[in-house]
Amino acid sequence: MRTLLVTGPGGSGRTTIAAATALEAARDGRRVLLLTADPTPGLPAGSDPAPGLPAGSDPAPGPTAATGTPPAPAPVAPAGLTVRRLDPAAHFRRELLALQAHAGPALDLLGAAPLDDDELTPLPGSAPFAYLAALRDAARQEWDLVVADLPALPDAVALLALPEQLRRYLRRLLPPERRAARALRPMLAQLAGVPMPPDGLYEAAARKDADLAAVTDLLAAPATRVRLVVEPGPAAAGALRTARAGLALHRLPLDAVVANRLLPTASPDPWLADLADRQRTHLKELYEEGAPVREVPHLGRAPRTPADLAHLGPLAPDPAHAAAPAPPWPVEDLRATEGALVWRVPLPGAAKSDLGLVRRGDELALTVGPFRRLVPLPSALRRCTVTGAALRDGELRVRFAPDPGLWPRTP
């Protein structure tokens, strides 16, 4: 299964590009799933929802009251294409009610009044969890291609980093190895003088960890790629650099940059010709960044039908092209010449002024602009101290000196 994660700055047309990519792949005979939280132009609102993932589509409306004439027919997805419309509000209500039911005995002891479904409204920040549930369900089914229309940058990068972060929090708060045997729990509670966490809490944490592990494996798979959609303009190259650095920090390969809504260069209108020339100048800047670029023409109107989407291609990834894994973060042994080990971290697009580096036990906290990640150190580097770092040619090189008190001595 291939997974294509589509994002870009707000207003760049990423939902349209995601829809056109999914449609083209389905017409090539592939089984395609399109995940989106927004209306997809030229495609149905949603169909065939997975368990726990509402499509968010409404039944076809009847004749209008004013004219009595039926509305225009809704677009129909081709065979092989499934469109699933995410409903973050419904997902939030479902998850909160499930948590409330699970914690029912404790809430009853506290005298809490349970919340009803019809009084719940989604909280800010609940949408990423609907995306994670959708990706989890996609990872457990059979598809040739999954196209996920993600939120705008940098929220998309934060969303893709969320499974790893949540798993880390679960392991810290409820370590599986600390779970005591059921028969010993009353005795341990008496010795400690405090109630022991119930088995149900550990079981719920184990289920959540398994769900997050499925998403983590999907994102780490060699066939998973991120596609960035930008409209060539003054901010396009900067958005590309920011995205590349954030994706590299989380080891997410960039598939391509889609330069969207390109105007024709031979317009007789002086104003349009000047605008097209400026677009081409910014398009050249995208090519100079070194990432693969796909050019998509401006249709002169917003896409409304499958035929409109077809004019935007070719966009679907080649199924015969094997996806290469993300570049490794190698450790270079320079002890013989420089007395140090160097950890080489590829960060294309990163700027020195945006970098932050903090050693925290056996982890390294790396900050690149608005993105931050806690990275476990390789075993050899855990016995070293950080002595310096430098960014050269899109690569962060962190120097470590062996700690004499921890490094094994040569006889």
Side-chain angles (χ1 to χ4, degrees):
M1 185 178 79
R2 287 177 176 265
T3 305
L4 194 60
L5 309 168
V6 183
T7 184
S12 61
R14 63 187 186 279
T15 299
T16 299
I17 296 300
T21 303
L23 178 64
E24 179 188 337
R27 285 178 168 171
D28 288 342
R30 285 180 266 180
R31 296 167 299 172
V32 183
L33 172 65
L34 173 61
L35 300 174
T36 180
D38 298 316
T40 48
L43 293 177
S47 60
D48 187 25
L53 183 62
S57 57
D58 296 325
T64 61
T67 64
T69 58
V76 179
L81 174 60
T82 300
V83 181
R84 290 185 181 155
R85 178 86 177 274
L86 278 66
D87 189 341
H91 180 266
F92 171 80
R93 292 195 302 269
R94 185 168 54 251
E95 290 292 308
L96 185 57
L97 291 174
L99 176 62
Q100 180 176 260
H102 182 75
L107 295 176
D108 290 340
L109 289 175
L110 296 174
L115 297 168
D116 295 326
D117 187 2
D118 57 4
E119 67 177 307
L120 296 178
T121 57
L123 297 176
S126 59
F129 297 97
Y131 274 98
L132 293 185
L135 291 172
R136 174 204 64 198
D137 293 338
R140 294 173 177 173
Q141 298 176 19
E142 294 294 331
W143 304 100
D144 296 321
L145 175 65
V146 174
V147 181
D149 171 30
L150 298 184
L153 286 169
D155 293 340
V157 179
L159 164 64
L160 298 176
L162 192 56
E164 180 183 90
Q165 293 171 341
L166 292 177
R167 294 190 74 193
R168 183 178 184 274
Y169 298 158
L170 279 175
R171 288 192 296 268
R172 288 289 299 274
L173 297 174
L174 292 170
E177 62 273 12
R178 299 280 182 89
R179 182 178 180 179
R182 187 185 301 270
L184 297 177
R185 299 178 76 73
M187 180 184 67
L188 292 175
Q190 185 175 6
L191 291 174
V194 294
M196 298 293 293
D199 280 334
L201 189 58
Y202 283 98
E203 292 167 359
R207 288 194 298 270
K208 289 297 182 184
D209 185 72
D211 290 344
L212 293 169
V215 182
T216 302
D217 292 342
L218 175 70
L219 298 179
T224 297
R225 288 291 186 270
V226 180
R227 181 169 292 182
L228 179 66
V229 182
V230 298
E231 188 170 353
L240 172 56
R241 286 191 291 269
T242 300
R244 293 187 73 187
L247 295 174
L249 179 63
H250 295 285
R251 300 197 65 191
L252 294 166
L254 182 65
D255 165 75
V257 179
V258 176
N260 197 21
R261 303 188 187 116
L262 287 174
L263 298 170
T265 57
S267 174
D269 186 315
W271 184 82
L272 286 177
D274 178 66
L275 186 58
D277 288 343
R278 280 183 282 165
Q279 268 195 339
R280 293 291 163 176
T281 298
H282 297 303
L283 178 63
K284 182 180 177 182
E285 295 174 351
L286 295 178
Y287 277 102
E288 291 173 350
E289 291 295 326
V293 178
R294 296 195 181 197
E295 300 182 16
V296 173
H298 199 304
L299 297 181
R301 63 184 184 281
R304 296 186 296 270
T305 66
D308 290 339
L309 294 177
H311 283 108
L312 302 178
L315 291 167
D318 185 357
H321 179 67
W329 292 8
V331 177
E332 189 175 5
D333 190 351
L334 300 179
R335 287 176 296 160
T337 57
E338 302 180 20
L341 294 146
V342 179
W343 198 14
R344 299 168 57 186
V345 180
L347 292 177
K352 183 178 179 180
S353 58
D354 293 334
L355 288 178
L357 182 68
V358 177
R359 170 77 180 267
R360 187 183 183 280
D362 290 339
E363 296 176 319
L364 203 62
L366 288 173
T367 301
V368 183
F371 311 111
R372 189 169 186 265
R373 184 185 181 194
L374 289 173
V375 186
L377 291 172
S379 58
L381 300 184
R382 296 176 186 178
R383 295 170 287 165
C384 303
T385 57
V386 178
T387 59
L391 181 67
R392 298 173 185 170
D393 301 324
E395 183 181 70
L396 176 64
R397 301 178 184 182
V398 188
R399 297 177 64 84
F400 290 81
D403 187 336
L406 300 175
W407 198 264
R409 299 179 179 179
T410 303

